[in-house]
Amino acid sequence: MWEIDDLFATDHEPWTQGLQAGIDEVGIGPLAGPVFAAAVLLDPARPIEGLMDSKALSPKRRKLLSVEIQERALCWSIAQASVEEIDRLNILQASHLAMRRAISALSVRPHMAYVDGNKAPHTDVPVVAVVQGDRRIPQISAASIIAKVARDEEMVRLDEQYPGYGLARHKGYPTRQHFNALESLGASVIHRRSFAPVRAVLEQAS
């Protein structure tokens, strides 16, 4: 299940020594809410069955695995970058900021880390970017799961604070329900003003 192609070839050997963390972000695409990132150091002595890309899991299964990861991992952390930081930095840089915060918050310093995707954040530990890493490397899968659960819970909380947008249902992603709510209610303070659909609503209102 965890075939990494040539990642562990001889010329990559220095990267694969010591404690290896996984990093992943959640919330690149939504029109509202912060972007979350998590970092996880798994404990080889306490394996967790069923780790995979968080998007491939049911909400119930994600929640159960999130609890198990937090109980069995050597350490884990969850961080975020705010809507204001997203608008100021752009979403890529804000997601990297959240990842750096997550790595820095680990109680045990890893020797290196894997991150999902093809762009690695600049951190004080070496980071290897792995395309589709959330499906291929268990540390990244674990990070994607706890980040997804944490962000979903935050969007449910924000739905109570900013009712009418359906945030608890679509978690801020650009669904038809969300577009309709934006058109009727306008943009709230948790909407990403640098994103084109939100910017268009603001321009129409001005």
Side-chain angles (χ1 to χ4, degrees), residues 55-135:
K55 296 184 290 296
L57 297 166
S58 69
K60 180 179 180 180
R61 183 59 180 153
R62 271 199 305 268
K63 179 65 174 176
L64 290 172
L65 278 171
S66 179
V67 172
E68 188 175 0
I69 291 163
Q70 293 176 41
E71 290 176 346
R72 299 174 74 87
L74 285 174
C75 64
W76 58 271
S77 66
I78 299 171
Q80 60 180 281
S82 67
V83 170
E84 292 78 13
E85 289 170 326
I86 292 169
D87 287 338
R88 175 166 53 86
L89 299 173
N90 76 44
I91 185 58
L92 175 62
Q93 295 306 316
S95 69
H96 283 188
L97 175 60
M99 291 179 191
R100 286 194 294 274
R101 288 170 173 165
I103 280 287
S104 296
L106 287 173
S107 59
V108 178
R109 178 183 169 88
H111 294 89
M112 58 84 61
Y114 298 113
V115 63
D116 182 49
N118 58 8
K119 293 182 174 64
H122 295 292
T123 74
D124 58 358
V125 299
V127 180
V128 175
V130 183
V131 175
Q132 296 184 340
D134 52 2
R135 298 192 304 179

Side-chain angles (χ1 to χ4, degrees), residues 12 36 91 145 178:
H12 288 290
F36 272 56
I91 185 58
I145 290 166
H178 199 175

Side-chain angles (χ1 to χ4, degrees), residues 136-149:
R136 304 165 69 191
I137 297 180
Q139 295 97 318
I140 299 179
S141 298
S144 76
I145 290 166
I146 66 170
K148 172 68 173 168
V149 171

